[in-house]
Amino acid sequence: MEAESTTTILTLREADAPSLSALVYDLGERLMARGQRLCTVESCTGGGIAQALTDIPGSSQWFECGWVAYSNAAKAHMLDVPPELIEAEGAVSEAVARAMVEGGLARSDADFALSVTGVAGPSGGTPEKPVGTVCFGWQARGQEARVHTIHFEGERHEVRLQAMLHALGELLAHEAA
């Protein structure tokens, strides 16, 4: 059975977004109560999700580890994302987000993994993958990875924040529900 894949266009206003720290606290409480752990695999967010997680006291009880695989070479070397896949699909693709999340989960003792790869801007976009395009992956150990793509609006820092909020919110709503 093929894992779920969707593409959505989303404009997230600051007033619409729950606070990052509230999401992290909720996630941490849920994971700690279950004795579960999370790993992150980030590209365009540059470790921002891992930083938000470790800003919470006691996060070592539920946050396993994180990778910042910003370059294509790092994705291949650290996570075994096939260079041929990156060449064929592009680093910003659901296929690469899936390979990243699977690679992170395979290389950790975590119960859940999330991945983020995208074009935060201000440059780097193409007509097919404009600035604001972000691909996500989530996986629970023993389950198929789930991926989708969102097109965010805004400046670089806004795209990255929206990606962080979305990645954590979706993990709470689905994999860690």
Side-chain angles (χ1 to χ4, degrees), residues 5-7 94 134-136 138 146-150 166 170:
S5 171
T6 61
T7 300
E94 291 181 358
V134 183
C135 301
F136 299 88
W138 301 268
R146 181 173 63 90
V147 297
H148 72 234
T149 299
I150 301 283
H166 184 74
E170 284 289 306

Side-chain angles (χ1 to χ4, degrees), residues 7-140:
T7 300
T8 306
I9 297 175
L10 181 66
T11 302
L12 186 67
R13 297 175 308 158
E14 197 68 32
D16 295 332
S19 83
L20 185 58
S21 60
L23 278 173
V24 171
Y25 272 106
D26 289 349
L27 178 62
E29 286 180 3
R30 193 171 297 174
L31 293 174
M32 195 162 46
R34 297 176 181 175
Q36 296 174 319
R37 298 176 70 77
L38 170 67
C39 76
T40 60
V41 185
E42 301 178 69
S43 185
C44 69
T45 50
I49 295 171
Q51 179 182 351
L53 298 175
T54 58
D55 281 346
I56 304 301
S59 59
S60 62
Q61 296 178 44
W62 50 267
F63 180 58
E64 176 75 18
C65 61
W67 287 268
V68 178
Y70 207 71
S71 72
N72 292 344
K75 290 173 180 68
H77 178 72
M78 293 191 308
L79 301 160
D80 276 344
V81 176
E84 304 80 30
L85 179 66
I86 296 170
E87 181 68 28
E89 301 289 331
V92 179
S93 65
E94 291 181 358
V96 169
R98 180 183 313 279
M100 288 170 64
V101 79
E102 290 171 348
L105 201 56
R107 283 159 186 72
S108 73
D109 291 327
D111 301 288
F112 301 101
L114 65 83
S115 67
V116 183
T117 182
V119 185
S123 61
T126 67
E128 297 80 29
K129 296 176 185 176
V131 169
T133 301
V134 183
C135 301
F136 299 88
W138 301 268
Q139 188 172 19

